[in-house]
Amino acid sequence: MHQHFQVARAHGMLTVRDGLVPGHDPWDRLSAAREADVQGIWDLSHYHRNFDPIHTAQIAAEAALGISGHERLWLCPVNEPSLYPRLSGMRSHEAAGMAITMARVARDHHPNIGILTNDPITGVGDRQFEATDAIVSAVDVDVIGVNYYPHTARTALSKVLVKTWRRYRKPVMVSETSWHDGHPVHHHRHPGFHKGHWWRHVHEEVEIARRQGVNVVGVCWYPIVDCPPWHTPRARRRWSHGLIRSDMSVDPALAAELFA
């Protein structure tokens, strides 16, 4: 993590998304971010069955207090709550309820919590927003996250951001986007693209939305590190969708756009 944070910071990234999920030592991870002088937005549950969400939120909040005092602790309680139940074996509305519980517990144990929601919002129909609606109606959410990838997008990103802003009137973030060099749908929809082209395209769409009054507060390239395929996490091979490769080199096309 120390090396990854240093590479991210060297490319102008002062805020990162990472995890404090069960099985990870929150003290080590929070300390690594602090030593690298980057701000973390921390997932508390990411596609696994969290058997003790209250304890997860409590230890994350208490560890942050011990390491950084009353500095703001940014949390994303549940990653993609509309998909989370299907992938973790929960009932359909249980993930949103878990997110609400963890947000409340974290705020009970830390005086300065920021809450990010994030969900795949790839169109503008009402069903896209059901999980986010449930969380926003129960918790004071600070930023609404939109996860948007080339292979699932159904509507232009700028239109999605405008719709999200008008629905909630809260700051909006592109909380996940990336380009996978080996993904056939990416290349079919955007012939000739590479990671740098996609980064530029996303920022052009963000600027269109901003000109229409949307308060877009950030764009997160996710993941920043090439990682094994989701369905075979112990595989030695890596998907090419990050900035940082397994040998710690960087993708030249994305690196060039980050410095542009």
Side-chain angles (χ1 to χ4, degrees), residues 62-105:
E62 291 176 349
L65 273 177
I67 292 167
S68 301
H70 288 190
E71 289 182 16
R72 173 155 275 205
L73 172 64
W74 280 95
L75 299 176
C76 177
V78 172
N79 176 66
E80 298 194 326
S82 66
L83 291 181
Y84 194 102
R86 186 177 68 190
L87 298 175
S88 64
M90 303 173 77
R91 292 189 298 272
S92 60
H93 299 295
E94 200 172 357
M98 187 168 69
I100 293 164
T101 295
M102 287 196 288
R104 290 172 173 169
V105 170

Side-chain angles (χ1 to χ4, degrees), residues 2-75:
H2 291 273
Q3 290 177 291
H4 292 159
F5 285 159
Q6 288 169 4
V7 173
R9 202 175 198 290
H11 287 78
M13 301 178 195
L14 305 182
T15 304
V16 298
R17 273 193 66 203
D18 212 306
L20 298 177
V21 304
H24 294 172
D25 186 329
W27 287 84
D28 284 350
R29 288 177 167 254
L30 289 162
S31 296
R34 185 168 180 81
E35 289 167 14
D37 196 24
V38 296
Q39 181 182 53
I41 302 174
W42 304 97
D43 286 7
L44 296 181
S45 292
H46 195 110
Y47 285 158
H48 62 285
R49 186 65 154 156
N50 189 334
F51 291 101
D52 195 349
I54 291 175
H55 182 63
T56 299
Q58 180 177 342
I59 63 173
E62 291 176 349
L65 273 177
I67 292 167
S68 301
H70 288 190
E71 289 182 16
R72 173 155 275 205
L73 172 64
W74 280 95
L75 299 176

Side-chain angles (χ1 to χ4, degrees), residues 155-175:
T155 305
L157 176 58
S158 56
K159 294 182 179 179
V160 171
L161 295 173
V162 169
K163 175 74 173 185
T164 305
W165 165 254
R166 290 175 177 171
R167 191 177 189 93
Y168 300 110
R169 294 295 173 178
K170 289 179 177 289
V172 178
M173 173 181 171
V174 183
S175 45

Side-chain angles (χ1 to χ4, degrees), residues 201-258:
H201 170 74
V202 167
H203 277 268
E204 288 169 353
E205 290 291 305
V206 166
E207 288 308 311
I208 291 171
R210 282 175 170 159
R211 288 197 293 270
Q212 296 183 60
V214 181
N215 181 14
V216 183
V217 295
V219 176
C220 176
W221 188 277
Y222 193 93
I224 199 65
V225 182
D226 282 356
C227 67
W230 301 130
H231 57 288
T232 53
R234 297 186 184 279
R236 291 184 177 274
R237 66 189 179 93
R238 295 290 184 268
W239 275 349
S240 177
H241 51 185
L243 168 69
I244 305 169
R245 297 163 170 166
S246 58
D247 63 359
M248 294 303 297
S249 65
V250 298
D251 181 271
L254 181 55
E257 283 300 319
L258 291 170

Side-chain angles (χ1 to χ4, degrees), residues 118-192:
N118 81 321
D119 216 29
I121 302 177
T122 58
V124 295
D126 284 345
R127 290 189 63 185
Q128 298 279 295
F129 300 95
E130 287 179 357
T132 303
D133 285 349
I135 298 170
V136 169
S137 67
V139 175
D140 184 12
V141 170
D142 298 277
V143 177
I144 307 295
V146 169
N147 290 2
Y148 187 93
Y149 290 97
H151 59 288
T152 55
R154 301 199 307 271
T155 305
L157 176 58
S158 56
K159 294 182 179 179
V160 171
L161 295 173
V162 169
K163 175 74 173 185
T164 305
W165 165 254
R166 290 175 177 171
R167 191 177 189 93
Y168 300 110
R169 294 295 173 178
K170 289 179 177 289
V172 178
M173 173 181 171
V174 183
S175 45
E176 289 185 21
T177 193
S178 66
W179 176 271
H180 179 3
D181 283 335
H183 201 301
V185 179
H186 290 200
H187 293 283
H188 174 72
R189 291 188 171 186
H190 301 276

